[in-house]
Amino acid sequence: LSNAFNQYCSAGEDDDDDDAAMAAAQCLECVATVLKGVCDKPSILKALEPLLVPLVLKIMGNDGEYIEYLECALDILTFLTYFPDSISPELWQAFPLIYNAFDNWAYDYLNMMVPCLQSYIAKSPDYFLQGKAQVEQGVAPYIDLIVSIVAKTVTNERASESECRYALSLFMSILHNCHGRVDGYIPIINEIVLGKLGQQVEAQVALTRISIYQVLGSALYYNPQLELVELEKRGVT
């Protein structure tokens, strides 16, 4: 299926063949169906990685050239990151590509990106905290990429409330899985979520406010003393 995707994908590029592009998408859908059937067998998922990781990287690493296949690629990546017990260095190659896609050409796919990002943080917090990526602004730690995703989403007027809640859940993933190791990020997390809370005072639906309170509660769980100092500093206690 992976080879067939590459062949159909190339045919679609060379001849502008819509049928070939549709066949390529169907190959990816079949791959996702296979993964769904073996998701309770992590050893099989690991064995399939060498075939599937290059496919995912190809779709995500070409500046939107294959955006029509991105949804399927993120679906496959979710299976590969969520179900196995650990995440291989090869799979980590997709992490900065997710950020690049979000930042440049696939903002509307945020809700599908978040489950992958949550798995990266939860399964390999050490790798996540040590990792760095080359982005347009220079070399940035992986955690800074997550902060940027959340900040850009909650301050974007065209972002839906659902997208804001998905983005905020990334802060909870960091606070729950990196206990005692991200003290320096508590101020910026508070700045972002409290800024969003200020916009939610008159919102008729409370779901986003609830997500914000969940982040604040996670910060209190992470370090009660540090979080209270931050809240007192901003006069919101």
Side-chain angles (χ1 to χ4, degrees), residues 29-174:
E29 291 171 2
C30 289
V31 169
T33 300
V34 171
L35 294 178
K36 185 176 182 179
V38 299
C39 63
D40 59 341
K41 298 177 176 63
S43 60
I44 296 179
L45 289 175
K46 280 294 183 184
L48 293 174
E49 261 190 36
L51 296 172
L52 299 179
V53 170
L55 182 152
V56 171
L57 298 180
K58 175 178 180 176
I59 294 169
M60 301 185 67
N62 283 277
D63 295 325
E65 183 179 349
Y66 302 112
I67 190 171
E68 66 267 35
Y69 308 121
L70 182 60
E71 184 173 342
C72 290
L74 289 170
D75 201 17
I76 291 169
L77 189 59
T78 297
F79 279 109
L80 296 179
T81 54
Y82 181 82
F83 289 100
D85 295 329
S86 61
I87 296 176
S88 67
E90 290 73 24
L91 268 178
W92 273 100
Q93 295 177 69
F95 186 93
L97 298 182
I98 295 174
Y99 173 79
N100 182 63
F102 165 85
D103 199 42
N104 292 293
W105 50 271
Y107 176 89
D108 293 334
Y109 289 81
L110 174 68
N111 289 6
M112 293 196 68
M113 296 174 179
V114 167
C116 306
L117 296 171
Q118 288 175 327
S119 293
Y120 278 116
I121 297 168
K123 296 288 181 66
S124 303
D126 292 338
Y127 202 112
F128 168 68
L129 292 174
Q130 295 168 9
K132 295 182 179 181
Q134 181 69 46
V135 293
E136 291 180 1
Q137 299 79 10
V139 178
Y142 285 167
I143 189 171
D144 285 7
L145 303 185
I146 296 296
V147 172
S148 177
I149 287 174
V150 181
K152 288 178 179 180
T153 302
V154 301
T155 58
N156 189 332
E157 292 183 356
R158 73 182 186 91
S160 69
E161 292 303 305
S162 172
E163 288 170 335
C164 289
R165 292 193 293 274
Y166 267 88
L168 288 166
S169 72
L170 293 172
F171 277 163
M172 287 187 278
S173 293
I174 291 173

